[in-house]
Amino acid sequence: MAKGKKIQLSFRSRRDKETGAEVLRLTPPHVICHRNYFYQKCFSADGQQLIFGGAFEGHWNYYLLDLNKQIATQLTEGGGDNTFGGFLSADDKSLWYVKNARELRRVDLESLEEYNVYEVDEDWVAYGTWVANSDCTKLVGIEIKKSDWSPLTDWQKFRDFYFTNPECRLIRIDLQTGEQDTILQEKRWLGHPIYRPFDDETVAFCHEGPRDAIDARMWLINQNGSSLRKVRQHEEGESFTHEFWVPDGSALYYVAHKEGSAHRYLCSADPQTLENRQLRAIPPCSHLMSNHDGSLVVGDGAQHKTGNIDLNDPFIWVFDLHKGTQKAVCQHNTSWKVLDGDRQVTHPHPSFSPDNQWVLFTSDEEGMPALYLARV
């Protein structure tokens, strides 16, 4: 019985060669371990515990890591866990995750009992990351028609899939009753559904696909399916990526980039007025996430092309929007490669600890992907 199994880890501390920052490696470099998606809750409110995905059993399961004792407790068992999309509940008592692209499950962290709260209809498949509202009473997700779905195990398949115009629906699930409503259904690839924090009326989602092909990426809709609105229209050669809500709900942040330009810009959109503002120029980061009020933003420097030159920014960056400063915290040095048919597992996906003192990220710099904490 693997569930409940405890694994004694031993954290490794080092100083970053470039920045001098303290960096802790939390998991061993010979087992694939990765953090969840960067805007999903992974830390307990007190910052003492952390969920992550680990392949200690040969397939990925969820673990709860006690940062003081350096002990990881296995929360789920068997294959089929989506170890990117899971999250801790608002009250820190449960883990929510999707199993076998079909079942939305809740794990009680005390008893480790597991409850199947919602099952995807036979003709559909659960896609991507499903996100709860602030008090964890409901959740939004995307389902793709089973007959239209295919596994996206590399970036070429990701690109090709866009042009098939898969039938998708943006759904809402009541986490108490398991009841499901469809908010929007289209023959178009939809992704990234996110409730606006502290405002259950407003849901953000995206038109998923290659940057150069999609019409306009970011959209808002009311949870009853009314008032579909575009956050910002792309200009020629312009793309927007990795939008996320500031955790206090005050703004939607995203990155804007023009083809062939070396510059990327952190931007914000006002959820009420849809006024878009450019906040600052940033290095080429792949994923960004902010602290609670959006005053600090962390990003992972990435591989990028400027004209015909291939570059790679290996740093974790922190931007202080009040002071207008940026700082390279440490090098993540991840490879960004597709591993075991997964496009995400080597991505850093950085975010702040609840006290803003640390940044959590994934990197395969020392072998297999592992979890790291860097002191800000």
Side-chain angles (χ1 to χ4, degrees):
M1 172 75 168
K3 194 191 258 244
K5 185 169 122 186
K6 298 202 181 300
I7 299 169
Q8 180 69 60
L9 301 176
S10 73
F11 298 173
R12 290 280 183 268
S13 174
R14 66 163 196 260
R15 293 272 162 199
D16 186 89
K17 288 188 186 76
E18 288 284 318
T19 68
E22 183 185 358
V23 180
L24 293 177
R25 192 187 78 223
L26 308 182
T27 60
H30 60 277
V31 178
I32 297 178
C33 293
H34 67 85
R35 60 154 308 163
N36 63 347
Y37 216 47
F38 57 97
Y39 52 64
Q40 294 283 67
K41 180 174 166 173
C42 60
F43 282 99
S44 56
D46 62 8
Q48 305 299 302
Q49 302 197 86
L50 170 68
I51 55 161
F52 70 95
F56 293 97
E57 301 283 309
H59 45 248
W60 293 346
N61 291 117
Y62 276 98
Y63 291 81
L64 182 68
L65 174 56
D66 182 316
L67 289 166
N68 295 319
K69 296 179 180 160
Q70 304 190 15
I71 290 174
T73 303
Q74 189 171 339
L75 301 177
T76 63
E77 61 192 348
D81 292 5
N82 175 343
T83 45
F84 291 95
F87 57 92
L88 283 176
S89 60
D91 61 8
D92 290 335
K93 290 183 175 165
S94 309
L95 162 74
W96 289 90
Y97 78 106
V98 173
K99 187 101 171 163
N100 300 322
R102 295 222 73 72
E103 298 161 13
L104 175 66
R105 295 189 177 187
R106 180 173 76 80
V107 181
D108 182 300
L109 296 184
E110 273 285 281
S111 66
L112 300 188
E113 240 177 293
E114 210 154 314
Y115 305 89
N116 203 0
V117 177
Y118 168 78
E119 195 145 337
V120 177
D121 188 319
E122 270 305 298
D123 299 332
W124 296 80
V125 174
Y127 168 70
T129 302
W130 290 13
V131 178
N133 62 346
S134 294
D135 60 6
C136 226
T137 53
K138 45 197 174 189
L139 169 146
V140 280
I142 302 288
E143 294 179 341
I144 299 181
K145 201 86 186 247
K146 198 181 205 167
S147 51
D148 291 355
W149 183 78
S150 60
L152 307 175
T153 49
D154 64 40
W155 289 108
Q156 187 55 48
K157 287 179 182 157
F158 178 90
R159 185 176 181 85
D160 296 344
F161 189 63
Y162 170 80
F163 296 101
T164 66
N165 287 324
E167 181 134 353
C168 291
R169 62 187 186 192
L170 168 62
I171 59 165
R172 177 183 67 191
I173 299 167
D174 183 310
L175 294 181
Q176 265 82 46
T177 65
E179 265 175 79
Q180 182 255 57
D181 300 295
T182 297
I183 299 174
L184 177 71
Q185 188 165 328
E186 291 189 297
K187 275 205 75 62
R188 180 203 300 277
W189 190 8
L190 306 177
H192 252 239
I194 340 177
Y195 263 113
R196 181 186 174 202
F198 309 106
D199 167 19
D200 292 352
E201 276 313 303
T202 308
V203 176
F205 68 97
C206 80
H207 289 177
E208 187 74 270
R211 289 187 218 182
D212 57 339
I214 46 183
D215 57 333
R217 178 180 164 99
M218 303 176 296
W219 297 78
L220 300 182
I221 193 168
N222 293 354
Q223 68 167 349
N224 66 4
S226 66
S227 188
L228 176 64
R229 54 223 188 259
K230 193 185 299 181
V231 174
R232 181 174 169 184
Q233 181 55 51
H234 299 207
E235 288 170 23
E236 192 60 40
E238 192 173 44
S239 62
F240 308 130
T241 55
H242 274 298
E243 66 286 348
F244 65 91
W245 289 110
V246 172
D248 68 2
S250 57
L252 189 74
Y253 279 5
Y254 61 93
V255 177
H257 179 237
K258 265 211 164 76
E259 218 176 353
S261 161
H263 299 293
R264 295 178 190 216
Y265 296 95
L266 174 63
C267 301
S268 73
D270 182 296
Q272 252 88 43
T273 64
L274 293 186
E275 183 201 349
N276 284 264
R277 293 192 307 132
Q278 191 171 293
L279 302 177
R280 62 166 298 131
I282 59 167
C285 294
S286 188
H287 311 91
L288 294 172
M289 187 60 206
S290 75
N291 65 342
H292 185 73
D293 66 1
S295 58
L296 295 174
V297 175
V298 62
D300 48 3
Q303 298 165 339
H304 62 112
K305 264 187 163 51
T306 299
N308 56 5
I309 311 168
D310 281 328
L311 301 168
N312 184 20
D313 183 316
F315 289 102
I316 296 286
W317 292 95
V318 168
F319 310 102
D320 186 320
L321 298 183
H322 288 169
K323 293 181 186 159
T325 55
Q326 72 177 42
K327 163 174 143 180
V329 174
C330 68
Q331 302 165 85
H332 60 72
N333 288 333
T334 200
S335 70
W336 298 96
K337 66 180 184 226
V338 174
L339 180 65
D340 288 358
D342 195 281
R343 307 184 326 278
Q344 302 273 353
V345 69
T346 57
H347 293 186
H349 291 149
S351 68
F352 291 102
S353 59
D355 62 5
N356 298 330
Q357 299 300 301
W358 298 87
V359 167
L360 174 72
F361 64 94
T362 303
S363 169
D364 64 357
E365 176 188 15
E366 296 179 75
M368 291 296 177
L371 268 79
Y372 292 84
L373 282 173
R375 196 181 276 283
V376 176

